[in-house]
Coordinates of all heavy atoms in Angstrom, one line a residue:
M28 N 20.7 -15.3 -10.3 CA 20.0 -14.5 -9.3 C 18.7 -15.2 -8.8 O 17.9 -15.6 -9.7 CB 19.7 -13.1 -9.8 CG 20.8 -12.1 -9.3 SD 20.0 -10.7 -8.7 CE 20.6 -9.5 -9.9
K29 N 18.5 -15.2 -7.6 CA 17.3 -15.9 -7.1 C 16.4 -14.9 -6.5 O 16.8 -14.1 -5.6 CB 17.7 -17.0 -6.0 CG 16.7 -18.1 -6.0 CD 17.2 -19.2 -5.1 CE 16.2 -19.7 -4.2 NZ 16.7 -19.7 -2.8
H30 N 15.1 -14.9 -6.9 CA 14.1 -14.0 -6.3 C 13.1 -14.8 -5.7 O 12.7 -15.9 -6.1 CB 13.5 -13.1 -7.4 CG 14.4 -12.3 -8.1 ND1 15.3 -11.5 -7.5 CD2 14.6 -12.1 -9.4 CE1 16.1 -10.9 -8.4 NE2 15.6 -11.2 -9.6
E31 N 12.6 -14.3 -4.6 CA 11.6 -15.0 -3.8 C 10.2 -14.8 -4.5 O 9.8 -13.6 -4.8 CB 11.5 -14.6 -2.4 CG 10.6 -15.4 -1.6 CD 10.5 -14.8 -0.1 OE1 11.2 -14.0 0.2 OE2 9.6 -15.3 0.6
L32 N 9.5 -15.8 -4.8 CA 8.2 -15.6 -5.4 C 7.2 -15.6 -4.2 O 7.1 -16.5 -3.4 CB 7.8 -16.8 -6.3 CG 6.6 -16.5 -7.2 CD1 6.9 -15.4 -8.2 CD2 6.2 -17.8 -8.0
K33 N 6.5 -14.5 -4.2 CA 5.5 -14.3 -3.1 C 4.1 -14.2 -3.6 O 3.9 -14.0 -4.8 CB 5.8 -12.9 -2.4 CG 7.1 -13.0 -1.6 CD 7.0 -11.8 -0.7 CE 8.0 -11.9 0.4 NZ 7.6 -11.3 1.7
Y34 N 3.1 -14.4 -2.7 CA 1.8 -14.2 -3.1 C 1.2 -13.1 -2.4 O 1.4 -12.9 -1.2 CB 0.9 -15.5 -2.7 CG 1.3 -16.6 -3.7 CD1 2.3 -17.6 -3.3 CD2 0.7 -16.8 -4.9 CE1 2.7 -18.6 -4.1 CE2 1.1 -17.7 -5.8 CZ 2.1 -18.7 -5.4 OH 2.5 -19.6 -6.3
C35 N 0.7 -12.2 -3.1 CA 0.1 -11.0 -2.6 C -1.0 -11.3 -1.6 O -2.0 -12.0 -2.0 CB -0.4 -10.1 -3.7 SG -1.2 -8.6 -3.2
P36 N -1.0 -10.9 -0.4 CA -2.0 -11.2 0.6 C -3.4 -10.6 0.3 O -4.4 -11.0 0.9 CB -1.5 -10.7 1.9 CG -0.5 -9.7 1.6 CD 0.1 -10.0 0.2
R37 N -3.4 -9.7 -0.6 CA -4.7 -9.0 -0.9 C -5.4 -9.6 -2.1 O -6.6 -9.8 -2.1 CB -4.4 -7.5 -1.2 CG -5.6 -6.6 -1.3 CD -5.2 -5.2 -1.2 NE -6.4 -4.3 -1.4 CZ -6.8 -3.9 -2.5 NH1 -6.3 -4.2 -3.6 NH2 -7.9 -3.1 -2.5
C38 N -4.6 -9.8 -3.2 CA -5.3 -10.3 -4.4 C -4.8 -11.7 -4.8 O -5.3 -12.3 -5.7 CB -5.0 -9.4 -5.6 SG -3.3 -9.4 -6.1
N39 N -3.9 -12.3 -3.9 CA -3.4 -13.7 -4.2 C -2.6 -13.8 -5.5 O -2.4 -14.9 -5.9 CB -4.6 -14.7 -4.1 CG -5.1 -14.9 -2.7 OD1 -4.3 -14.9 -1.8 ND2 -6.4 -14.9 -2.5
G40 N -2.3 -12.7 -6.1 CA -1.5 -12.8 -7.3 C -0.1 -13.1 -6.9 O 0.4 -12.7 -5.8
S41 N 0.7 -13.7 -7.7 CA 2.1 -13.9 -7.4 C 2.9 -12.8 -7.9 O 2.6 -12.2 -9.0 CB 2.6 -15.2 -7.9 OG 2.5 -15.3 -9.3
F42 N 4.0 -12.5 -7.2 CA 4.9 -11.5 -7.7 C 6.3 -11.8 -7.1 O 6.4 -12.5 -6.1 CB 4.5 -10.1 -7.3 CG 4.5 -9.8 -5.8 CD1 5.6 -9.2 -5.3 CD2 3.4 -10.1 -5.1 CE1 5.5 -8.9 -3.9 CE2 3.4 -9.9 -3.7 CZ 4.4 -9.3 -3.1
E43 N 7.3 -11.2 -7.7 CA 8.6 -11.4 -7.2 C 9.0 -10.3 -6.1 O 8.9 -9.1 -6.4 CB 9.6 -11.3 -8.3 CG 9.8 -12.6 -9.0 CD 10.8 -12.4 -10.2 OE1 11.6 -11.5 -10.2 OE2 10.6 -13.1 -11.2
C44 N 9.4 -10.8 -5.0 CA 10.0 -9.9 -4.0 C 11.5 -10.1 -4.0 O 11.9 -11.1 -3.7 CB 9.4 -10.1 -2.7 SG 9.8 -8.9 -1.5
K45 N 12.2 -9.1 -4.4 CA 13.7 -9.3 -4.5 C 14.3 -9.0 -3.1 O 14.7 -7.9 -2.9 CB 14.2 -8.4 -5.6 CG 13.5 -8.8 -7.0 CD 14.0 -7.9 -8.1 CE 13.5 -8.4 -9.4 NZ 12.3 -7.7 -9.8
V46 N 14.3 -10.0 -2.4 CA 14.8 -9.9 -1.0 C 16.2 -9.6 -1.0 O 17.0 -10.0 -1.8 CB 14.6 -11.3 -0.3 CG1 14.9 -11.2 1.2 CG2 13.2 -11.8 -0.5
G47 N 16.5 -8.7 -0.1 CA 17.9 -8.3 0.1 C 18.3 -7.1 -0.9 O 19.4 -6.6 -0.9
S48 N 17.3 -6.8 -1.7 CA 17.6 -5.7 -2.7 C 16.4 -4.8 -2.8 O 15.7 -4.8 -3.7 CB 17.9 -6.3 -4.0 OG 18.4 -5.3 -4.9
V49 N 16.2 -4.1 -1.7 CA 15.0 -3.3 -1.5 C 14.7 -2.3 -2.7 O 13.6 -2.1 -3.1 CB 15.0 -2.6 -0.2 CG1 13.8 -1.8 0.0 CG2 15.3 -3.5 0.9
V50 N 15.8 -1.8 -3.2 CA 15.7 -0.8 -4.3 C 15.1 -1.5 -5.6 O 14.5 -0.9 -6.4 CB 17.0 -0.2 -4.7 CG1 17.0 1.3 -4.3 CG2 18.2 -0.9 -4.0
L51 N 15.4 -2.8 -5.7 CA 14.9 -3.5 -6.9 C 13.5 -4.1 -6.7 O 12.9 -4.5 -7.7 CB 15.9 -4.6 -7.3 CG 17.3 -4.1 -7.8 CD1 18.2 -5.3 -8.0 CD2 17.1 -3.3 -9.1
C52 N 13.1 -4.3 -5.5 CA 11.8 -4.9 -5.3 C 10.7 -4.0 -5.8 O 10.8 -2.8 -5.6 CB 11.6 -5.2 -3.8 SG 10.1 -6.0 -3.4
Q53 N 9.7 -4.6 -6.4 CA 8.7 -3.8 -6.9 C 7.9 -3.0 -5.8 O 7.2 -2.0 -6.2 CB 7.7 -4.7 -7.7 CG 7.1 -5.8 -6.9 CD 5.6 -5.8 -7.0 OE1 5.1 -5.5 -8.1 NE2 5.0 -6.0 -5.9
C54 N 8.0 -3.4 -4.6 CA 7.3 -2.6 -3.6 C 7.9 -1.2 -3.5 O 7.2 -0.3 -3.0 CB 7.3 -3.3 -2.2 SG 8.4 -4.6 -2.0
S55 N 9.1 -1.1 -4.0 CA 9.7 0.2 -3.9 C 9.4 1.0 -5.3 O 9.8 2.2 -5.4 CB 11.2 0.2 -3.7 OG 11.8 -0.5 -4.8
T56 N 8.8 0.4 -6.2 CA 8.5 1.1 -7.4 C 7.2 2.0 -7.3 O 7.0 2.9 -8.0 CB 8.2 0.1 -8.6 OG1 7.1 -0.7 -8.4 CG2 9.4 -0.8 -8.9
V57 N 6.4 1.7 -6.3 CA 5.3 2.5 -6.0 C 5.7 3.6 -5.0 O 6.2 3.3 -3.9 CB 4.1 1.6 -5.4 CG1 2.9 2.5 -5.1 CG2 3.8 0.5 -6.3
K58 N 5.5 4.8 -5.4 CA 5.9 5.9 -4.5 C 4.9 6.1 -3.4 O 3.8 6.4 -3.7 CB 6.1 7.1 -5.4 CG 7.3 7.1 -6.3 CD 8.5 7.9 -5.8 CE 9.6 7.8 -6.8 NZ 10.1 6.3 -7.0
L59 N 5.4 6.0 -2.2 CA 4.6 6.1 -1.1 C 5.1 7.1 -0.1 O 6.3 7.1 0.1 CB 4.3 4.8 -0.4 CG 3.6 3.7 -1.1 CD1 3.8 2.4 -0.4 CD2 2.2 3.9 -1.4
S60 N 4.3 7.9 0.5 CA 4.8 8.7 1.6 C 4.9 7.9 2.9 O 4.3 6.7 2.9 CB 3.8 9.9 1.8 OG 2.6 9.4 2.4
Q61 N 5.5 8.4 3.9 CA 5.7 7.6 5.1 C 4.3 7.3 5.7 O 4.1 6.2 6.1 CB 6.5 8.4 6.1 CG 7.0 7.6 7.3 CD 7.7 6.4 6.9 OE1 8.7 6.4 6.1 NE2 7.3 5.2 7.4
E62 N 3.4 8.2 5.6 CA 2.0 8.0 6.1 C 1.3 6.8 5.4 O 0.7 6.0 6.0 CB 1.2 9.3 5.9 CG 1.4 10.3 7.0 CD 0.5 11.5 6.8 OE1 0.1 11.7 5.6 OE2 0.1 12.1 7.8
E63 N 1.5 6.9 4.1 CA 0.8 5.9 3.2 C 1.4 4.5 3.5 O 0.8 3.5 3.6 CB 1.0 6.2 1.8 CG 0.1 7.4 1.4 CD 0.5 8.1 0.1 OE1 1.7 7.7 -0.5 OE2 -0.1 9.0 -0.4
R64 N 2.7 4.4 3.7 CA 3.4 3.2 4.0 C 2.9 2.6 5.3 O 2.7 1.5 5.5 CB 4.9 3.5 4.1 CG 5.8 2.3 3.7 CD 7.2 2.7 3.6 NE 7.5 3.4 2.3 CZ 7.8 2.7 1.2 NH1 7.7 1.4 1.1 NH2 8.0 3.4 0.1
N65 N 2.8 3.5 6.3 CA 2.3 3.1 7.7 C 0.9 2.5 7.5 O 0.6 1.5 8.2 CB 2.3 4.3 8.6 CG 3.7 4.7 9.0 OD1 4.6 4.0 8.8 ND2 3.8 5.9 9.6
F66 N 0.1 3.1 6.7 CA -1.3 2.7 6.6 C -1.3 1.3 6.0 O -2.1 0.4 6.5 CB -2.0 3.6 5.6 CG -3.4 3.2 5.2 CD1 -4.5 3.3 6.1 CD2 -3.6 2.6 4.0 CE1 -5.7 2.9 5.7 CE2 -4.9 2.2 3.6 CZ -5.9 2.4 4.4
I67 N -0.5 1.0 5.0 CA -0.4 -0.3 4.4 C 0.2 -1.3 5.4 O -0.3 -2.4 5.5 CB 0.4 -0.2 3.1 CG1 -0.4 0.6 2.1 CG2 0.6 -1.6 2.5 CD1 0.3 0.9 0.8
N68 N 1.2 -0.9 6.1 CA 1.9 -1.9 7.0 C 0.9 -2.2 8.1 O 1.1 -3.3 8.8 CB 3.1 -1.2 7.6 CG 4.3 -1.2 6.6 OD1 4.2 -1.8 5.6 ND2 5.3 -0.4 6.9
D69 N 0.1 -1.3 8.4 CA -1.0 -1.6 9.4 C -1.9 -2.7 9.1 O -2.3 -3.5 9.9 CB -1.8 -0.3 9.6 CG -1.7 0.2 11.0 OD1 -0.7 0.2 11.5 OD2 -2.8 0.7 11.5
K70 N -2.2 -2.8 7.8 CA -3.1 -3.8 7.3 C -2.5 -5.1 6.9 O -3.0 -6.2 7.1 CB -4.0 -3.3 6.2 CG -4.8 -2.1 6.5 CD -5.6 -1.7 5.3 CE -6.5 -0.4 5.5 NZ -7.7 -0.7 6.2
Y71 N -1.3 -5.0 6.3 CA -0.6 -6.1 5.8 C 0.9 -6.1 6.2 O 1.5 -5.1 6.1 CB -0.6 -6.1 4.2 CG -2.0 -6.1 3.7 CD1 -2.6 -5.0 3.2 CD2 -2.7 -7.4 3.6 CE1 -3.9 -5.0 2.7 CE2 -4.0 -7.4 3.2 CZ -4.6 -6.2 2.7 OH -5.9 -6.2 2.2
E72 N 1.3 -7.2 6.7 CA 2.7 -7.3 7.3 C 3.7 -7.5 6.2 O 4.8 -7.1 6.3 CB 2.8 -8.4 8.2 CG 2.1 -8.0 9.6 CD 2.1 -9.2 10.6 OE1 2.8 -10.2 10.3 OE2 1.4 -9.1 11.5
D73 N 3.2 -8.1 5.1 CA 4.1 -8.5 4.0 C 4.0 -7.5 2.8 O 3.2 -6.6 2.8 CB 3.8 -9.9 3.5 CG 5.1 -10.7 3.3 OD1 6.1 -10.0 3.1 OD2 5.0 -11.9 3.3
C74 N 4.9 -7.6 1.9 CA 4.9 -6.8 0.7 C 3.6 -7.2 -0.1 O 3.2 -8.3 -0.1 CB 6.0 -7.1 -0.3 SG 7.6 -6.9 0.3
L75 N 3.1 -6.2 -0.9 CA 2.0 -6.5 -1.8 C 2.5 -6.3 -3.1 O 3.5 -5.7 -3.4 CB 0.8 -5.5 -1.5 CG 0.2 -5.5 -0.1 CD1 -0.6 -4.3 0.2 CD2 -0.6 -6.7 0.2
C76 N 1.7 -6.8 -4.1 CA 2.0 -6.5 -5.5 C 1.8 -5.0 -5.8 O 1.1 -4.3 -5.0 CB 1.2 -7.3 -6.4 SG -0.6 -6.8 -6.6
A77 N 2.4 -4.5 -6.8 CA 2.4 -3.1 -7.1 C 1.0 -2.6 -7.3 O 0.6 -1.5 -6.8 CB 3.2 -2.8 -8.3
A78 N 0.1 -3.3 -7.9 CA -1.2 -2.9 -8.1 C -2.0 -2.7 -6.8 O -2.7 -1.7 -6.7 CB -2.0 -3.9 -9.0
C79 N -1.8 -3.6 -5.9 CA -2.5 -3.5 -4.6 C -1.9 -2.3 -3.8 O -2.6 -1.7 -3.1 CB -2.4 -4.8 -3.8 SG -3.5 -6.1 -4.5
M80 N -0.6 -2.1 -3.9 CA 0.0 -1.0 -3.2 C -0.7 0.3 -3.7 O -1.0 1.2 -2.9 CB 1.5 -1.0 -3.5 CG 2.2 -2.2 -3.0 SD 3.1 -2.1 -1.5 CE 4.4 -1.1 -1.9
E81 N -0.8 0.4 -5.0 CA -1.4 1.6 -5.5 C -2.9 1.7 -5.1 O -3.4 2.8 -4.7 CB -1.3 1.6 -7.0 CG 0.1 2.1 -7.5 CD 0.3 1.9 -9.0 OE1 -0.7 1.8 -9.7 OE2 1.4 1.9 -9.4
A82 N -3.6 0.6 -5.1 CA -5.0 0.6 -4.7 C -5.1 1.0 -3.2 O -6.0 1.8 -2.9 CB -5.6 -0.8 -4.9
L83 N -4.3 0.5 -2.4 CA -4.3 0.9 -0.9 C -3.9 2.3 -0.7 O -4.5 3.0 0.2 CB -3.4 0.0 -0.2 CG -4.0 -1.4 0.2 CD1 -2.9 -2.4 0.7 CD2 -5.1 -1.2 1.2
R84 N -3.0 2.8 -1.6 CA -2.6 4.2 -1.5 C -3.9 5.1 -1.7 O -4.1 6.1 -1.0 CB -1.5 4.5 -2.4 CG -1.0 5.9 -2.3 CD 0.1 6.2 -3.4 NE -0.5 6.0 -4.7 CZ 0.2 5.9 -5.8 NH1 1.5 6.1 -5.8 NH2 -0.4 5.6 -7.0
D85 N -4.6 4.7 -2.8 CA -5.8 5.5 -3.1 C -6.9 5.4 -2.0 O -7.5 6.4 -1.6 CB -6.4 4.9 -4.4 CG -5.6 5.3 -5.6 OD1 -4.7 6.0 -5.5 OD2 -5.9 4.7 -6.7
E86 N -7.0 4.2 -1.4 CA -7.9 4.0 -0.3 C -7.6 4.9 0.9 O -8.4 5.5 1.5 CB -7.8 2.5 0.1 CG -9.0 2.0 0.8 CD -8.8 0.5 1.2 OE1 -8.9 -0.3 0.3 OE2 -8.5 0.2 2.3
Y87 N -6.3 4.9 1.1 CA -5.8 5.8 2.3 C -6.2 7.2 2.0 O -6.7 7.9 2.9 CB -4.3 5.6 2.4 CG -3.7 6.6 3.4 CD1 -3.9 6.5 4.8 CD2 -3.0 7.7 2.9 CE1 -3.4 7.4 5.6 CE2 -2.5 8.6 3.8 CZ -2.7 8.5 5.2 OH -2.1 9.4 6.1
N88 N -5.9 7.7 0.8 CA -6.1 9.1 0.5 C -7.7 9.4 0.5 O -8.1 10.5 0.9 CB -5.5 9.5 -0.8 CG -4.0 9.6 -0.7 OD1 -3.5 10.4 0.2 ND2 -3.2 8.8 -1.4
R89 N -8.5 8.4 0.2 CA -9.9 8.6 0.2 C -10.4 8.7 1.7 O -11.2 9.6 2.1 CB -10.7 7.5 -0.4 CG -11.3 7.8 -1.7 CD -12.3 6.9 -2.2 NE -11.9 5.5 -2.0 CZ -11.3 4.8 -3.0 NH1 -11.0 5.4 -4.1 NH2 -11.0 3.5 -2.8
E90 N -9.8 7.8 2.5 CA -10.1 7.9 4.0 C -9.7 9.2 4.6 O -10.5 9.7 5.4 CB -9.5 6.7 4.7 CG -10.4 5.5 4.8 CD -9.7 4.3 5.5 OE1 -8.9 4.6 6.5 OE2 -9.9 3.2 5.2
K91 N -8.6 9.6 4.3 CA -8.0 10.8 4.8 C -8.9 12.0 4.5 O -9.3 12.9 5.2 CB -6.6 11.1 4.3 CG -5.8 12.0 5.2 CD -4.3 11.9 4.8 CE -4.0 12.8 3.6 NZ -2.6 12.9 3.4
F92 N -9.4 12.0 3.2 CA -10.3 13.0 2.7 C -11.6 13.0 3.5 O -12.1 14.1 3.9 CB -10.5 12.8 1.2 CG -11.3 13.8 0.5 CD1 -10.9 15.1 0.4 CD2 -12.6 13.6 0.0 CE1 -11.6 16.1 -0.2 CE2 -13.4 14.5 -0.6 CZ -12.8 15.8 -0.7
Q93 N -12.2 11.9 3.7 CA -13.5 11.8 4.4 C -13.3 12.2 5.8 O -14.2 12.8 6.4 CB -13.9 10.3 4.4 CG -14.0 9.7 3.0 CD -15.5 9.3 2.7 OE1 -16.1 8.8 3.5 NE2 -15.9 9.6 1.5
L94 N -12.2 11.9 6.4 CA -11.9 12.3 7.8 C -11.9 13.8 7.9 O -12.4 14.4 8.9 CB -10.6 11.7 8.3 CG -10.6 10.8 9.5 CD1 -11.1 9.4 9.1 CD2 -9.3 10.8 10.2
R95 N -11.3 14.4 6.9 CA -11.2 15.9 6.9 C -12.6 16.5 6.7 O -12.9 17.5 7.4 CB -10.3 16.3 5.8 CG -9.7 17.6 6.0 CD -8.4 17.9 5.2 NE -8.4 17.3 3.9 CZ -7.4 16.9 3.3 NH1 -6.2 16.9 3.8 NH2 -7.5 16.4 2.1
L96 N -13.4 15.8 5.9 CA -14.8 16.3 5.7 C -15.6 16.3 7.1 O -16.3 17.1 7.4 CB -15.5 15.5 4.7 CG -15.1 15.8 3.2 CD1 -16.1 15.0 2.3 CD2 -15.3 17.2 2.9
K97 N -15.4 15.1 7.8 CA -16.0 14.9 9.0 C -15.6 16.0 10.0 O -16.5 16.5 10.7 CB -15.7 13.6 9.6 CG -16.8 12.6 9.5 CD -16.4 11.2 10.1 CE -16.7 10.1 9.1 NZ -16.0 8.9 9.4
K98 N -14.4 16.3 10.1 CA -13.8 17.3 11.0 C -14.5 18.7 10.8 O -14.7 19.4 11.8 CB -12.4 17.4 10.9 CG -11.6 16.6 11.9 CD -10.1 16.9 11.9 CE -9.3 15.6 12.3 NZ -8.1 15.5 11.6
I99 N -14.7 19.0 9.6 CA -15.3 20.4 9.3 C -16.8 20.3 9.3 O -17.4 21.3 8.9 CB -14.7 21.0 8.1 CG1 -14.8 20.1 6.8 CG2 -13.3 21.5 8.3 CD1 -14.4 20.8 5.6
G100 N -17.4 19.2 9.6 CA -18.8 19.2 9.8 C -19.7 18.7 8.6 O -20.9 18.6 8.8
Y101 N -19.0 18.4 7.6 CA -19.8 17.7 6.5 C -19.7 16.2 6.7 O -19.4 15.7 7.8 CB -19.1 18.0 5.2 CG -19.2 19.5 4.8 CD1 -18.1 20.3 4.9 CD2 -20.4 20.1 4.4 CE1 -18.2 21.6 4.6 CE2 -20.5 21.4 4.1 CZ -19.4 22.2 4.2 OH -19.4 23.5 3.9
G102 N -20.0 15.5 5.7 CA -19.8 14.1 5.8 C -20.9 13.4 6.6 O -21.9 14.0 6.9
F103 N -20.7 12.1 6.8 CA -21.9 11.3 7.2 C -21.6 10.4 8.4 O -20.6 10.0 8.8 CB -22.4 10.5 6.0 CG -21.4 10.4 4.8 CD1 -21.4 9.2 4.1 CD2 -20.5 11.3 4.5 CE1 -20.6 9.1 3.0 CE2 -19.6 11.2 3.4 CZ -19.7 10.1 2.7
Ligands
ZN19 ZN1 -2.1 -7.8 -5.1
ZN20 ZN1 9.0 -6.7 -1.5

């Protein structure tokens, strides 16, 4: 079995992207909602390593939280 070795565009770490087998690729091991996935796809066209996917998911949720604060008049 051949796996493509990729470099994460965010941390430059290498990881295996199991092309043609989306269920086995580690990008699918990180549970993401559709919104979170869109947010990541917006910034990076390629797969990221699992650690970065998780980091970006946290980033997204922080941003979303701040936006909500802004809307109700708090925030900065
Ligand atoms: Zn990474
Ligand atoms: Zn992948």
Side-chain angles (χ1 to χ4, degrees):
M28 260 226 249
K29 206 170 134 231
H30 301 311
E31 190 187 346
L32 195 65
K33 287 196 164 213
Y34 290 93
C35 174
R37 189 169 179 270
C38 69
N39 288 317
S41 60
F42 67 94
E43 271 177 32
C44 188
K45 298 179 176 95
V46 188
S48 189
V49 184
V50 249
L51 290 175
C52 182
Q53 57 126 40
C54 13
S55 65
T56 63
V57 182
K58 292 261 178 296
L59 296 169
S60 69
Q61 192 56 52
E62 280 183 332
E63 289 160 352
R64 209 172 282 280
N65 289 344
F66 172 78
I67 294 174
N68 286 346
D69 239 39
K70 295 182 183 279
Y71 301 100
E72 285 173 14
D73 222 337
C74 303
L75 300 165
C76 73
C79 286
M80 303 260 287
E81 280 174 19
L83 280 165
R84 184 186 55 191
D85 290 350
E86 204 179 285
Y87 170 75
N88 285 304
R89 253 199 312 274
E90 266 181 38
K91 204 166 78 173
F92 182 68
Q93 303 244 319
L94 238 81
R95 205 156 38 208
L96 285 184
K97 255 182 227 160
K98 261 188 213 148
I99 51 172
Y101 296 105
F103 17 148

